[in-house]
């Protein structure tokens, strides 16, 4: 069990106290690892991003002004670290500005039947470019202009990637829903 978080922990981390840094890591690593998973293609990349993110957090912790939540600050550092990883690996090259709208019918689709773990699996099955834009827009709340600037792409590409991400994510969820229904049918037989 991790030690409860308090403001004194930040001060001790600023002073470079290793025990405080370990406590801060223990307190926030699980939540931050979840963020890293959302922006990576696999758990190994997520662990690399997490490690790099904590290095940045500890090296820049003195820059935290105390305004706003500390958790919000470290999450922003982690998202920026993940985006830097994304840009460094140039996984968005070859993405198109063409906007496509695809209709998918989900008459028998139900989100209630899908667990959080299965949602993460569906998200991880998306191409990294799609997943990154979907995370930034739908989860982090950035505008297309902000996303374009962060990723070094055009605003049109951001919109296109979001549209395609939604379609691909819906298709992944539909696959999971079908899989869940088949499992239920096999258990009742």
């Amino acid at each position: 069990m991790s030690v409860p978080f308090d403001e004194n922990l930040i001060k001790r981390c600023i002073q470079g106290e290793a025990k405080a840094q370990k406590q801060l890591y223990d307190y926030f690593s699980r939540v931050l690892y979840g963020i890293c998973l959302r922006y990576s293609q696999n758990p190994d990349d997520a662990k690399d991003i997490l490690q790099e993110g904590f290095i940045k957090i500890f090296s820049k912790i003195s820059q935290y002004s105390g305004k706003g939540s500390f958790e919000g600050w470290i999450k922003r550092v982690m998202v920026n670290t993940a985006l830097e990883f994304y840009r460094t690996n140039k996984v968005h090259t070859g993405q198109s500005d063409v906007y496509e709208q695809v209709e998918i019918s989900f008459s028998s689709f139900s989100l209630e039947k899908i667990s959080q773990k299965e949602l993460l699996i569906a998200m991880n099955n998306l191409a990294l470019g799609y997943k990154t834009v979907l995370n930034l827009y739908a989860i982090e709340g950035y505008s297309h202009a902000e996303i374009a600037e962060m990723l070094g792409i055009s605003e049109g590409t951001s919109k296109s990637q979001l549209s395609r991400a939604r379609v691909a994510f819906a298709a992944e969820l539909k696959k999971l829903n079908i899989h869940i229904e088949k499992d239920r049918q096999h258990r009742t037989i």
Side-chain angles (χ1 to χ4, degrees), residues 74-162:
I74 63 172
K75 284 180 178 180
R76 186 169 195 89
V77 170
M78 202 57 69
V79 168
N80 288 337
T81 303
L83 293 176
E84 185 177 305
F85 181 86
Y86 175 86
R87 283 189 302 269
T88 300
N89 291 299
K90 300 180 193 254
V91 293
H92 61 276
T93 56
Q95 293 176 350
S96 166
D97 278 330
V98 177
Y99 181 82
E100 292 178 4
Q101 185 63 37
V102 180
E103 293 292 325
I104 295 180
S105 171
F106 291 99
S107 57
S108 64
F109 180 72
S110 175
L111 260 181
E112 293 139 5
K113 298 176 185 176
I114 297 176
S115 70
Q116 185 177 10
K117 181 180 177 183
E118 290 164 331
L119 286 171
L120 186 58
I121 290 168
M123 182 73 99
N124 283 335
N125 285 338
L126 298 178
L128 189 55
Y130 293 176
K131 181 166 68 168
T132 301
V133 172
L134 183 63
N135 273 307
L136 289 171
Y137 186 85
I139 297 173
E140 306 294 341
Y142 290 104
S143 71
H144 287 294
E146 292 169 318
I147 294 168
E149 185 178 324
M150 285 187 244
L151 300 180
I153 59 177
S154 72
E155 208 171 319
T157 297
S158 177
K159 290 176 183 178
S160 173
Q161 294 301 301
L162 178 63

Side-chain angles (χ1 to χ4, degrees), residues 18-33:
K19 184 177 179 182
Q21 290 174 339
K22 171 83 167 91
Q23 289 173 340
L24 188 80
Y25 177 88
D26 290 344
Y27 192 82
F28 287 109
S29 62
R30 187 173 176 170
V31 168
L32 296 177
Y33 180 66

Side-chain angles (χ1 to χ4, degrees), residues 64 66-74:
Y64 172 64
K67 295 178 183 171
S69 80
F70 180 71
E71 184 172 356
W73 183 81
I74 63 172

